[in-house]
Amino acid sequence: MTLLEEELARILRPLVAQARAVAGALVFTPPREAPVVVRAAGRRLPARLDGWLQASVRTPVGRLGLARATPPGWTRGRAVVLKTPLVASGRRVGALLLLGPALTRGTLTPDVSRALGEALDRVWRLHRRALRMSALDELTRLLVVTHSLDDVFRAFAEGAAKLVAFDSIAVSLLDAERDEFEIIDVVARSVPLRVPRDDRMALAGTLFADLVARGTPLRVDDVRDERVPGVSRRVFAERGYRAVTLVPLLSAGGVFGAVTLTSARVGAFDAEDVEIVGELARPLASAIELRRLLTEGHRRRDELAALYATSQLITARLDVESVLDRISRSVSDLIGSSGCGIGLLDPAGTHIAHVAAHGAGSEAWRTLSVPVGEGIMGRAAQSGTTLRVDDVRTDPHSARRDVDEREGIRSMLCVPLKVAGGVIGVISAFATRPGAFTTHHQRVLEAFGEQAGIAIHNARLFEESVRRARETRALLEAGRAVTASLDVDRTIRVILEEARGVLGVDSCGLATLDPLTDELVTVASLDLPQAMVKDIRIKVGEGIGGRAVRERRPVQSRDLYTDPRVRYPQLPRAHGLRSMLVAPLLVGDRAIGAISAFRRDVHEFSASEAELLLALADQAAIALEHARLYAALEGMVAERTRELDAQKRFVEVVLETLPLGVFVLGAELHVVRTNREGARVLGCDPGTRTSFAALFAPDTAGTVEGFVRAAFETRQGGALETEVTLGGETKVLRLTSAPVESAEASATHAVVLVEDVTLAKRLERQMLLTERLTTAGRLAAGVAHELNNPLATIAGCAESLRGRLTERGLAQTAELTDFQHYLELVEEEAFRCKEITGTLLQFVRDPGSRRVPTDLNALVLKTLELLSHQSRFAEGRFATELDPAPPFLAVNEGQIRQVFIALASNALEAMEGRGRLTVRSRVHRGEVEVEFEDEGPGVPDEILSRIFDPFFTTKPPGQGTGLGLAIAQGIVTDHGGRIEVTSRPGKGSLFRMVLPA
């Protein structure tokens, strides 16, 4: 129950009681409002009776009337109904109805109709005054307790609705700068809301323009009146309104707004309504003005704070991203925009793209990019002047209406960012309501933009210096990796890591050029698995990498998903890589590979990024070239090492197999190294490190030491021959010294060659003896040849004399009986002498090299016959055990005879010409054996292995050369045979010649 209904019920209850009625009803009809009905009764009425009372009291009545009736729910028989109209100031304002069993006309006094009507009218007026005061109190309270104009608008609308009947109410503010007014709040009651919040309208041709001109309230009973301005008449008619009341909002400067009430009924408002709204409009105007002043104060405070923050940014060394974020946030605080975007020109100066955004709800606005000269942003960048658009929906230059609609953008303020007179970008503030920005906002944002441009420029310079430092550090690290390690895989990975860090990319990879297939082969990647890396091969000229290698310059792809040049499109999609930059690896003019950088977003790589990647590519190329050169050098070193090892082994083999002793001596004359022959010659340990002179007997050590020391001191080589006794054996050694040349002042090492020339000396003596024997042999051969002629004459004469004796029978005479025998003896001995000289000639004659089938038994017999004639073997005895049918062997008869003579002579000389020499021949296991067995003292075991050595002899000096057995061994070996020796000390020796049959 409202306050008015409570007051009417309070008046009705005593009337019902005073008239002794069962129940009563009172209806009051306020001006231009619905009737108000109240009931009163002594007890609770039935619902049907209560409903009947409400309906009956609403029925119009002209004067006091009395009637009997049986109302619904009445249980006391017929009732009396007393009803009278209520009048105030000559106007019917309501009616009174009493219901009871015994009511009469005298129940009510005659003036009750007027007196009660006037009382109700006073109550109504008091009620209206209370409502007005309540609304004014609420508005006044809100001026103190709230900063929200929406709360004030809501309280004003609710208070007005209690006092004035209307269909809609709007509070509008004047924008004198644009000759527009802005509807900042609209509250509808009975008609659906048709006017959007924060609408704007032009001032010209409206009732609002008349209100501003007059400065007093304006009431229109019918907007269809021709006197109503055309714009307002059309707008209100389109919305179905007929009556309008405009009450001005006043400040010291005049009209700054209006409260507009509309109704669909003609003449819906009167002077009292205008008065009530005017009274409520005064605190509303104060609240709006106060809020405007507060907002202006806050705005100026925020402007100063934002300008101060921007000035701080100018001097602070912050990164560009932080600076852009601070600036974009400051704009909203500065001019109260819904959001802000900062667009910067790309390096080419052809597009302006958002790099920071605040208050935007869609990704499209945050990543917006437009060509310079297109759209509001593009035109501001091109012209270098501020552009303010009150409604982008009506602006023909808006380039991306889809983005505007998605963000709900209605108005924009675009201020160019300038540094040193050049445009570097645009600050774009936007609002979701039309005409949100004023000239003041423009001036403030322009001032802010000047400082913001400097701040961005300084941040860019700082970031550029940081980037340069980072690039320098990355190149330094890459160069350090190239020079610090020969591990090419580790070096390449360091370069890839540095490239990823300094370029801010998501991944990097490196490929090398296969010279055999002319293909790029991926060898390293920071993300791709190794199994996949080795399968990626790209021909030169194909794909992004192949083009970079062919053109010897960096090549990029802004979007790998749509680039038809991509060779393996599935790879970037599988790993989320979107853009790519490739730089060739160059060594001189030759490309050896490529390095690639990847990002996960669509990105246009700058020239500085390409230049940096190219610098890192040079480092990678150097690393690969170093690795190649190192591998080649390593191969060369390995090959040279192998050669040196082979040479070393060759030298070692040569040194070890040299028939010369080699000693390397240090400066202290100690042995550093010796070969096997040197150890053998001097009879020392091959690993000895003793003094070289200590290896000799004391009687020769001083001479040897002086000889070697002279080589170190004079730095000249020398030679020394000395006779030494080593191991009980006398040897003749030839020492040859040679200092090792070096750049130092004195020699540090010397090489001494030790040659055992004992055999050479013996050979020299033997050669002299041989020469004499050769001369003697030649003389003997000449003598034998010369003797053959007289021997032949003697033999012939003896034969002739013997023939004459026989022919003449003189042989039978007594005087010549022995003469026959003597002639035969002379002839026989002459022939024997001739045979001896022939054998001697045959022995000394060169046997040649011809080999013919030969009877070895015959050679044995001839040998023994020749030896038997020598006087030194006269006491010797010869025995033969020859095979009766030996095979003929293809041999050199003279050489084999020389072997037999050497073996038989040695055997006879061992027996001193007095023992028995047994010669045997036989065929055994496919070989022919000829044995010479003597009864001499035998060969001692310690020299048995040396008897075939050249010049080795046990005979006294001058009695043997030591060559007989050596030559015999050589002849038999040349015939594919061998000589075997079996000796028993004290019992004799057996020499066996074996030849293949």
Side-chain angles (χ1 to χ4, degrees):
M1 181 177 292
T2 65
L3 292 176
L4 179 60
E5 290 174 338
E6 290 179 355
E7 189 64 25
L8 293 178
R10 188 180 64 81
I11 294 173
L12 178 60
R13 280 194 292 273
L15 289 175
V16 173
Q18 184 179 359
R20 298 179 180 180
V22 174
L26 180 64
V27 60
F28 177 69
T29 304
R32 298 187 306 280
E33 292 193 14
V36 180
V37 178
V38 297
R39 289 90 58 205
R43 56 185 178 83
R44 184 176 181 82
L45 297 176
R48 289 189 299 167
L49 181 59
D50 185 67
W52 181 83
L53 284 174
Q54 291 190 54
S56 298
V57 76
R58 291 174 181 273
T59 304
V61 59
R63 55 186 178 84
L64 178 65
L66 188 66
R68 290 186 176 275
T70 304
W74 179 263
T75 58
R76 302 181 183 181
R78 293 181 64 82
V80 178
V81 178
L82 180 63
K83 185 177 181 181
T84 182
L86 302 177
V87 179
S89 301
R91 181 179 65 86
R92 185 176 298 172
V93 297
L96 173 64
L97 185 148
L98 298 175
L99 178 65
L103 297 177
T104 64
R105 292 182 179 274
T107 301
L108 296 174
T109 59
D111 61 345
V112 68
S113 176
R114 182 184 55 79
L116 183 57
E118 291 179 353
L120 292 180
D121 187 60
R122 286 195 297 275
V123 168
W124 164 248
R125 295 186 180 278
L126 290 174
H127 173 68
R128 297 271 291 181
R129 174 54 60 182
L131 289 178
R132 290 169 69 175
M133 295 305 297
S134 175
L136 290 173
D137 290 344
E138 178 64 15
L139 289 173
T140 304
R141 184 186 69 81
L142 290 176
L143 288 176
V144 179
V145 302
T146 184
H147 294 289
S148 173
L149 277 178
D150 286 342
D151 293 340
V152 175
F153 292 152
R154 189 179 306 106
F156 172 78
E158 291 175 354
K162 295 176 182 178
L163 296 169
V164 179
F166 56 85
D167 290 328
S168 70
I169 183 172
V171 178
S172 303
L173 295 179
L174 177 65
D175 186 352
E177 180 182 342
R178 297 184 177 86
D179 287 333
E180 295 178 346
F181 62 93
E182 178 185 8
I183 303 173
I184 62 172
D185 190 37
V186 176
V187 179
R189 293 188 63 200
S190 59
V191 180
L193 187 65
R194 298 180 183 178
V195 180
R197 182 181 176 87
D198 297 341
D199 197 8
R200 298 180 69 87
M201 291 184 63
L203 187 64
T206 64
L207 289 172
F208 195 12
D210 294 345
L211 177 71
V212 171
R214 293 170 52 181
T216 58
L218 181 63
R219 189 183 74 194
V220 177
D221 292 332
D222 190 351
V223 297
R224 297 181 180 178
D225 193 325
E226 293 295 332
R227 291 172 295 178
V228 175
V231 175
S232 294
R233 184 168 66 248
R234 176 179 55 79
V235 170
F236 288 129
E238 289 176 352
R239 288 159 174 75
Y241 299 136
R242 297 296 297 273
V244 178
T245 294
L246 283 79
V247 176
L249 297 174
L250 301 173
S251 66
V255 178
F256 67 87
V259 175
T260 303
L261 280 70
T262 58
S263 176
R265 295 178 293 110
V266 175
F269 306 110
D270 58 10
E272 184 181 3
D273 295 334
V274 174
E275 179 188 355
I276 292 171
V277 174
E279 187 176 11
L280 295 178
R282 283 191 289 273
L284 175 63
S286 298
I288 293 174
E289 185 66 12
L290 178 62
R291 296 303 176 272
R292 187 188 66 78
L293 293 175
L294 287 175
T295 302
E296 182 69 16
H298 291 161
R299 183 175 60 78
R300 291 190 178 276
R301 180 198 64 194
D302 293 341
E303 289 174 359
L304 292 176
L307 292 173
Y308 175 75
T310 306
S311 65
Q312 290 295 104
L313 285 176
I314 294 174
T315 58
R317 301 181 64 179
L318 299 176
D319 60 284
V320 174
E321 184 177 354
S322 299
V323 170
L324 294 173
D325 182 69
R326 288 278 298 275
I327 292 176
S328 64
R329 293 179 182 275
S330 298
V331 169
S332 297
D333 298 334
L334 187 66
I335 62 175
S337 62
S338 302
C340 172
I342 298 179
L344 297 180
L345 288 174
D346 62 6
T350 58
H351 285 75
I352 185 164
H354 277 169
V355 294
H358 175 68
S362 68
E363 184 68 20
W365 170 260
R366 286 191 290 269
T367 60
L368 181 64
S369 175
V370 296
V372 173
E374 296 185 12
I376 302 171
M377 288 170 45
R379 288 193 298 125
Q382 184 184 46
S383 63
T385 58
T386 301
L387 293 182
R388 188 178 69 195
V389 178
D390 292 332
D391 193 347
V392 298
R393 294 180 180 177
T394 61
D395 188 276
H397 300 99
S398 179
R400 295 294 301 276
R401 295 190 183 276
D402 56 332
V403 177
D404 297 341
E405 291 296 329
R406 192 177 300 119
E407 290 292 330
I409 298 175
R410 293 298 302 275
S411 54
M412 286 190 69
L413 178 60
C414 295
V415 175
L417 298 171
K418 296 182 179 180
V419 174
V423 177
I424 64 171
V426 174
I427 296 180
S428 302
F430 68 85
T432 56
R433 55 191 178 87
F437 304 113
T438 64
T439 302
H440 174 75
H441 294 146
Q442 179 175 332
R443 287 196 299 270
V444 171
L445 192 58
E446 286 174 345
F448 180 81
E450 292 178 359
Q451 297 190 41
I454 298 174
I456 294 173
H457 181 65
N458 288 347
R460 276 182 162 181
L461 293 178
F462 174 71
E463 189 174 77
E464 179 69 15
S465 65
V466 172
R467 184 180 67 82
R468 289 293 184 185
R470 190 168 61 249
E471 292 174 359
T472 302
R473 186 169 57 254
L475 292 174
L476 180 62
E477 290 297 327
R480 184 180 292 116
V482 170
T483 57
S485 174
L486 292 176
D487 184 354
V488 66
D489 293 335
R490 177 183 177 277
T491 302
I492 290 302
R493 186 158 191 88
V494 169
I495 292 175
L496 294 181
E497 292 285 358
E498 291 296 332
R500 178 166 64 180
V502 73
L503 289 173
V505 296
D506 297 296
S507 181
C508 289
L510 187 136
T512 58
L513 187 62
D514 187 344
L516 298 178
T517 62
D518 202 30
E519 291 179 330
L520 284 174
V521 182
T522 302
V523 296
S525 174
L526 296 182
D527 299 290
L528 294 179
Q530 187 62 32
M532 183 181 296
V533 166
K534 63 183 181 61
D535 295 331
I536 301 177
R537 305 179 72 92
I538 299 176
K539 287 282 188 182
V540 172
E542 294 182 356
I544 310 301
R547 290 173 180 264
V549 171
R550 184 184 64 185
E551 298 173 9
R552 307 289 196 275
R553 64 176 183 84
V555 177
Q556 66 170 298
S557 174
R558 184 174 181 272
D559 189 351
L560 294 172
Y561 291 3
T562 59
D563 196 332
R565 300 174 298 172
V566 177
R567 181 68 175 81
Y568 294 96
Q570 71 277 11
L571 289 180
R573 291 182 180 273
H575 293 81
L577 303 176
R578 197 65 186 269
S579 52
M580 177 183 187
L581 175 64
V582 183
L585 307 182
L586 300 176
V587 176
D589 293 332
R590 178 171 56 91
I592 64 171
I595 185 172
S596 306
F598 300 89
R599 292 177 61 103
R600 298 188 185 280
D601 58 344
V602 176
H603 178 72
E604 185 81 23
F605 290 93
S606 65
S608 61
E609 289 174 319
E611 181 181 355
L612 176 59
L613 187 62
L614 194 58
L616 291 170
D618 291 341
Q619 295 293 334
I622 293 173
L624 291 175
E625 185 66 9
H626 281 183
R628 185 188 68 80
L629 294 176
Y630 176 74
L633 180 61
E634 193 175 43
M636 293 172 61
V637 170
E639 180 63 26
R640 184 58 179 161
T641 302
R642 285 193 296 270
E643 292 177 359
L644 291 176
D645 288 342
Q647 291 178 5
K648 179 182 178 183
R649 288 193 298 271
F650 175 75
V651 170
E652 289 178 347
V653 170
V654 170
L655 289 176
E656 291 300 325
T657 57
L658 270 177
L660 298 176
V662 180
F663 289 84
V664 179
L665 307 183
E668 299 299 326
L669 306 186
H670 283 72
V671 177
V672 176
R673 183 172 180 182
T674 183
N675 66 344
R676 186 167 54 243
E677 180 65 16
R680 187 193 66 78
V681 170
L682 296 185
C684 64
D685 183 4
T688 185
R689 295 296 182 265
T690 187
S691 170
F692 181 65
L695 301 177
F696 296 86
D699 58 341
T700 58
T703 303
V704 171
E705 182 176 352
F707 167 72
V708 175
R709 192 174 299 280
F712 280 96
E713 293 175 355
T714 63
R715 300 182 69 177
Q716 293 180 355
L720 171 68
E721 284 190 5
T722 182
E723 188 173 284
V724 299
T725 302
L726 298 171
E729 183 180 357
T730 301
K731 296 183 179 182
V732 179
L733 302 181
R734 179 182 293 139
L735 306 182
T736 305
S737 65
V740 177
E741 295 292 336
S742 67
E744 300 179 8
S746 59
T748 58
H749 292 81
V751 176
V752 178
L753 303 180
V754 180
E755 182 181 3
D756 185 356
V757 296
T758 304
L759 295 179
K761 290 299 181 180
R762 290 179 184 174
L763 178 60
E764 185 178 343
R765 289 195 293 269
Q766 292 298 333
M767 288 178 66
L768 293 175
L769 179 59
T770 302
E771 184 65 28
R772 289 197 296 269
L773 291 175
T774 301
T775 303
R778 289 175 181 173
L779 290 174
V783 171
H785 181 70
E786 292 298 330
L787 287 177
N788 276 337
N789 293 330
L791 286 175
T793 302
I794 293 170
C797 290
E799 182 181 3
S800 176
L801 289 176
R802 192 167 51 88
R804 289 182 181 183
L805 288 176
T806 303
E807 292 175 357
R808 298 179 180 181
L810 296 179
Q812 302 300 324
T813 64
E815 292 86 0
L816 299 176
T817 302
D818 293 332
F819 194 71
Q820 174 75 22
H821 171 70
Y822 290 145
L823 288 175
E824 290 178 359
L825 182 61
V826 170
E827 183 180 3
E828 181 181 348
E829 289 301 322
F831 277 109
R832 191 168 71 85
C833 289
K834 190 175 186 299
E835 184 177 353
I836 290 172
T837 58
T839 303
L840 179 62
L841 288 172
Q842 187 176 9
F843 175 75
V844 299
R845 188 179 294 119
D846 183 7
S849 60
R850 183 168 172 267
R851 296 182 183 184
V852 296
T854 304
D855 182 3
L856 296 186
N857 285 347
L859 281 180
V860 170
L861 295 175
K862 288 181 179 180
T863 300
L864 296 179
E865 181 182 2
L866 178 63
L867 293 176
S868 65
H869 294 296
Q870 296 186 23
S871 59
R872 57 188 177 131
F873 304 138
E875 297 181 10
R877 299 187 302 276
F878 299 92
T880 59
E881 298 176 7
L882 302 178
D883 190 309
F888 279 62
L889 300 181
V891 298
N892 187 300
E893 181 179 346
Q895 290 180 346
I896 298 301
R897 182 171 57 251
Q898 184 177 352
V899 173
F900 288 168
I901 292 174
L903 295 178
S905 298
N906 284 344
L908 292 170
E909 289 174 353
M911 297 184 296
E912 298 181 352
R914 292 189 291 270
R916 183 176 68 175
L917 173 63
T918 302
V919 182
R920 304 181 186 91
S921 68
R922 64 175 174 268
V923 177
H924 180 67
R925 295 181 180 179
E927 294 177 325
V928 176
E929 299 178 354
V930 179
E931 296 178 348
F932 295 83
E933 184 176 6
D934 64 61
E935 296 176 345
V939 182
D941 292 339
E942 61 269 17
I943 66 173
L944 187 61
S945 62
R946 301 179 60 192
I947 61 176
F948 291 104
D949 291 347
F951 307 108
F952 178 79
T953 181
T954 59
K955 299 175 184 178
Q959 295 185 14
T961 64
L963 294 174
L965 290 180
I967 294 173
Q969 177 79 302
I971 292 172
V972 173
T973 302
D974 187 53
H975 280 75
R978 63 188 181 277
I979 298 178
E980 300 174 351
V981 182
T982 302
S983 180
R984 293 173 296 172
K987 294 184 179 182
S989 302
L990 185 147
F991 285 76
R992 181 184 298 113
M993 184 194 76
V994 182
L995 292 176

